[in-house]
Amino acid sequence: MIAVHILFSGGMRVRLLVMSDSHSRLSVMERIIESQPDAKDIFFLGDGIAQAEQLEYIYSDRKFYFVSGNCDFSSTQKTTDFITLAQNKIMFTHGHEYSVKRSIDKLVETAKCNKVKIVLYGHTHCAYTGYFDGIHVVNPGSVSRGVDGKCTYAVIDITDKGIIPLIITI
């Protein structure tokens, strides 16, 4: 895969957009994508995948990565996948198969075993960022049914200075 490199303040930046748990709210996802024109790589982490897949046709200038969630009953997408962007291996999953509502230990251990730098997961509807043993762990929350009514998504900037995850409230 070729990642788009954007120069900023004298350096390189690749911006990833991460969304999950839309539960069919296509219009919300469209507004988020429109608000992030620099994000050329977009991850959708399940639960609403049928609508999310439509975005590939609407935004043909972007690259989409999908995994299915526990509510994506007829999906043929994987539930976990891996990709390397800007020299960083990324694991992305919905998270239900890793019991993330109880603990992220199994998720982090799988990421370690696969030499991942960034792991993305959803399922909990609760936004989260953490850093464990050199691995950035990011849950974008839910774009439609957030915890305490706060709907969220994530952007991750991969720069020549490091990896910077950010949770954004809609």
Side-chain angles (χ1 to χ4, degrees):
M1 293 288 158
I2 297 174
V4 175
H5 297 273
I6 300 166
L7 294 178
F8 78 108
S9 302
M12 176 274 299
R13 177 183 79 174
V14 174
R15 175 162 277 193
L16 312 178
L17 172 57
V18 187
M19 297 181 284
S20 189
D21 296 278
S22 67
H23 297 280
S24 305
R25 303 270 316 270
L26 181 63
S27 62
V28 174
M29 291 187 290
E30 287 178 299
R31 284 197 311 270
I32 292 167
I33 291 170
E34 294 291 332
S35 75
Q36 295 295 331
D38 291 342
K40 300 300 182 190
D41 296 288
I42 300 173
F43 292 81
F44 183 75
L45 306 178
D47 284 359
I49 198 163
Q51 292 73 31
E53 288 174 330
Q54 294 175 31
L55 296 169
E56 272 189 305
Y57 301 103
I58 298 169
Y59 299 96
S60 59
D61 63 325
R62 316 277 180 115
K63 177 67 180 159
F64 287 84
Y65 306 93
F66 303 103
V67 289
S68 62
N70 60 301
C71 294
D72 294 318
F73 304 112
S74 61
S75 176
T76 59
Q77 296 284 349
K78 297 176 182 179
T79 56
T80 299
D81 208 350
F82 298 85
I83 187 82
T84 300
L85 291 172
Q87 294 89 39
N88 290 277
K89 189 171 183 182
I90 301 169
M91 173 184 169
F92 54 108
T93 186
H94 184 63
H96 61 291
E97 294 177 335
Y98 296 91
S99 304
V100 295
K101 285 188 177 179
R102 281 183 286 199
S103 166
I104 61 169
D105 292 347
K106 185 176 176 184
L107 183 70
V108 171
E109 189 58 36
T110 302
K112 281 185 203 175
C113 290
N114 285 281
K115 297 178 176 36
V116 166
K117 289 290 184 185
I118 303 169
V119 62
L120 309 173
Y121 74 101
H123 188 54
T124 66
H125 294 213
C126 184
Y128 173 80
T129 63
Y131 186 75
F132 303 93
D133 297 325
I135 301 168
H136 291 271
V137 180
V138 179
N139 183 330
S142 172
V143 299
S144 70
R145 298 179 183 170
V147 175
D148 297 329
K150 293 180 182 177
C151 297
T152 57
Y153 67 95
V155 293
I156 302 169
D157 288 333
I158 301 173
T159 74
D160 50 1
K161 304 254 190 259
I163 298 169
I164 307 158
L166 177 66
I167 302 295
I168 299 174
T169 302
I170 302 171

